[in-house]
Amino acid sequence: MSYLEGLMSGYYWFQLGLIFSLPYVIPRGMHFKKHITILYTSTILCLVLSFIISPMYSEFYAELSKEDIHYRFILNSSINFLLIMVFSLQALSHSKFFIKKISIDKQLAENEKERRTRVLSNLGHELRTQINSINGVTQLILGGDLKEVPNKKYFEILDYCNENMLLLVNDMLDIHKIESGHFELIKEPKALYKFLNKITIPFINKAEEKNLELISYIDAKLKDVVVNVDEKRIAQVIYNLISNAIKFTEQGKITFFVKVIDLNKTNVVIQFKVKDTGIGIAPHNLNKIFESFHQIKNEKNPVYGGTGLGLAISQSIIDAMNSEISVESRLGEGTCFQFTLKLQREEALPNAQINTDAFTGDFSLNSTILVVEDNMVSMMYAKKLLEKHVTKVYHGTNGAEAIERIKEHKDIDLVLLDLEMPVMNGFKAIEHIKKIRPDVIVIAFTANIPSTEILNKLDSLGFDDILSKPFNKHQLFTVLQQYTLQTEA
Ligand code: ADP
């Protein structure tokens, strides 16, 4: 109608400019693309409609009486007023929506800040507990407060604290990987029966200390079954469930069941269960325990320690294996965690894995090894482990020194090469080493937890294998024996 009024209609065109500038006037308006699209589309639709409809009424305007003009003017003004109201309301509702969104964002940021503070204080507490024990034992040994020569017991305490701190750091790295979407499984053919039979061994002492019975039933159908699996990650889940079961049980027993549900030529379906007779979990807490850093705390619960990460990590691992962990529990009666995995069967184990029980007694490897490591303690540890069992050990503290040793000593047939070193790192050093001696075996030595990306990079650079730090004697020689000849000592 404005259009049909001829010149008069120009008075209303300014509204179009207003409507189109609205999103720029509202703070953060450009972030809400959906709403702005609705606003623009409805405006353009109104405009197009008026262009289509108005010519249909053109003849009525040919001879307009004064009353008609008056009537049209009132109608026109009213419609304009209504439109302004509608657009203002729309603008208001958008502003309200934006303000609500901003306050939700603010609340989320505050929650995240609170979570971080809780996480840090939890972690700090757990680390300080271990450091306190290490401090206590070293002060006793160094301060001369001990009447007797420090015996194995004190070193066992240090070893225990060391292991706990390592677990803590690994949990932190795992949760970081999970939250940033970089978590992945590293699958290999493995025979699960033997491994599952031994999995409760590290917990025997802990259960005995609390007078708890620790029972494990492993289905005999698993004997001789080789599957493609990330064995370390399955172990991590089971360790976490069993250690929780022991931690939260004061009397009774812990049972670990492994049952074969289905076994055919290509797959095996296995059910895992960890059951305890402990304090149990209230129904309203059953879902929360899988959230990272969540621990059930109330006046009745004594402080059990821990970070609240174990179940969150376990659930993500099982999730990556296309399954889920479920939990049944009754307060005061006990808890049962279970998950079922469908694993792909493999023909047989690769040869290198068969001899996993070696390296307990006397043995020697027919090999001359160069250890390249900038950390003096790691170097001392690796050299001490190697010296007794290999032909000769040379050492270097950076990539440049490694190249020199390789040029000097033609008898070196294997290099343990740290990746992060000053002067020249392992990634650069291997290029030169392989040019001088293409036949030499080079094993990467790293404190990073290997991912597919790192493994691929190492592979393309010519590394033959990888050894993660910290490592024990068994892990070191399991890797080495694949590349060297073993002779009876
Ligand atoms: P953490 O054991 O380090 O606290 P978890 O993620 O492993 O962390 O467990 C989270 C919480 O779930 C525990 O703090 C505990 O409250 C509860 N929980 C886990 N397992 C059990 C269990 N077997 N019995 C009772 N409560 C449990």
Side-chain angles (χ1 to χ4, degrees), residues 122 126 168 171 240-249 254 274-282 285-286 288-297 301 304-314 327 329 331 334-337:
N122 237 358
E126 287 300 306
L168 215 64
D171 275 359
N240 179 48
L241 296 181
I242 297 180
S243 83
N244 271 350
I246 296 177
K247 184 158 76 171
F248 297 107
T249 305
I254 317 295
V274 176
K275 206 172 165 186
D276 65 55
T277 53
I279 58 169
I281 304 164
N285 278 324
L286 282 177
K288 291 189 198 150
I289 55 170
F290 291 102
E291 288 167 18
S292 44
F293 301 105
H294 190 92
Q295 295 179 301
I296 302 165
K297 284 196 175 134
N301 268 9
Y304 283 102
T307 51
L309 283 180
L311 284 178
I313 295 172
S314 301
V327 54
S329 185
L331 262 186
T335 308
C336 177
F337 284 91

Side-chain angles (χ1 to χ4, degrees), residues 347-377:
E347 292 280 298
L349 287 179
N351 285 341
Q353 277 183 32
I354 295 170
N355 193 10
T356 51
D357 279 342
F359 324 123
T360 40
D362 251 357
F363 63 91
S364 75
L365 298 180
N366 194 3
S367 180
T368 297
I369 296 179
L370 167 65
V371 184
V372 192
E373 165 68 89
D374 63 315
N375 181 304
M376 284 307 136
V377 181

